[in-house]
Every structure is written in structure tokens, then in C-alpha cells.
Amino acid sequence: MNVKETGIILSCEDYEAAVKFYAEQLGLPIRERGESLSTLDFGGSYLMVEDKGVASDREKTRAQNPTVLRFHVDDFDASVEELEARGVHVQVQHFRWGTIGVVIDPEGNRIELKR
């Protein structure tokens, strides 16, 4: 198998709000924008956001969404500051194995920045 590119598909209940969050607040460039499906750059891969998902008003459990979107960033502190300046709450957590910044999208999906 010769993999050309990898991607992740994320189904969202409020499609418009999800695309706006990932494009404007997280800063992912939009490759293609459609009425119910959009593709955004995802650090050498792509994130496809589409409708027909189920939102939660709090972080989804692993049973509700077993996938975590993770961004390994060059400058963790600057990335946290940039997101917070865009109105994104980032909860920084320190572990023996490293540091992450946890973000919950408007649908309740967990996103992590990794130092």
C-alpha cells in the first residue's frame, strides 16, 4: 500500500460553527468549503468536517468520541497564547512524559497541543 495522504473525518451537529471554529479560531486553512463538508489542512494531512454528527455541551466521553485530535507544535507557549488571543480556552497539563494543552471544540471533541 502506497499512502498518498492521511486524513481524519469529524462529524459535527452544527457544521457551520465547527468549520468556523477550526478555520478561524484554530487557524487551519480551508482547502475546500462545501454546504455540508469542508476539508482543512491538518499539519501535513487533512481534517474533513462534515454534518450529521452529535454535539455535547461538555467534553465527550471516550465512548462518545474515542479519537483525540493532537497537534505537535514547535513553540508550545506561543501556540497557547495565540489560541487564547483568538478566544480559545486552553487548559495546560503537565505530566512526566510531557506537557499538553487541552482544548474542547464547540461540539465537545477533545483537541490537544503537545509540547
Side-chain angles (χ1 to χ4, degrees), residues 18-30:
V19 172
K20 184 175 181 175
F21 174 81
Y22 283 96
E24 295 178 14
Q25 292 190 273
L26 290 190
L28 301 182
I30 295 176

Side-chain angles (χ1 to χ4, degrees), residues 38 64 73 85 96 99 106 109:
S38 290
Q64 293 169 315
V73 295
R96 278 193 338 227
T99 300
N109 300 303

Side-chain angles (χ1 to χ4, degrees), residues 33-48:
R33 178 89 161 81
E35 289 182 29
S36 62
L37 185 140
S38 290
T39 306
L40 300 96
D41 282 332
F42 189 67
S45 184
Y46 65 84
L47 175 65
M48 186 176 289

Side-chain angles (χ1 to χ4, degrees), residues 7-11 22 42 46-48 59-71 102-105 107-112:
I8 296 170
I9 300 171
L10 183 64
S11 297
Y22 283 96
F42 189 67
Y46 65 84
L47 175 65
M48 186 176 289
E59 181 179 352
K60 292 178 182 175
T61 66
R62 293 294 169 121
Q64 293 169 315
N65 183 9
T67 302
V68 174
L69 301 178
R70 181 174 276 182
F71 297 87
V102 177
V103 172
I104 308 302
D105 80 1
E107 299 274 321
N109 300 303
R110 184 183 180 102
I111 301 163
E112 295 177 353

Side-chain angles (χ1 to χ4, degrees), residues 39-107:
T39 306
L40 300 96
D41 282 332
F42 189 67
S45 184
Y46 65 84
L47 175 65
M48 186 176 289
V49 176
E50 60 182 37
D51 66 359
K52 304 218 187 314
V54 178
S56 174
D57 60 354
R58 62 182 62 92
E59 181 179 352
K60 292 178 182 175
T61 66
R62 293 294 169 121
Q64 293 169 315
N65 183 9
T67 302
V68 174
L69 301 178
R70 181 174 276 182
F71 297 87
H72 288 250
V73 295
D74 289 328
D75 189 332
F76 181 84
D77 295 328
S79 297
V80 168
E81 287 177 20
E82 178 182 338
L83 290 179
E84 288 182 338
R86 292 184 187 152
V88 178
H89 173 70
V90 181
Q91 180 187 15
V92 176
Q93 299 176 354
H94 303 280
F95 300 94
R96 278 193 338 227
W97 49 263
T99 300
I100 59 172
V102 177
V103 172
I104 308 302
D105 80 1
E107 299 274 321

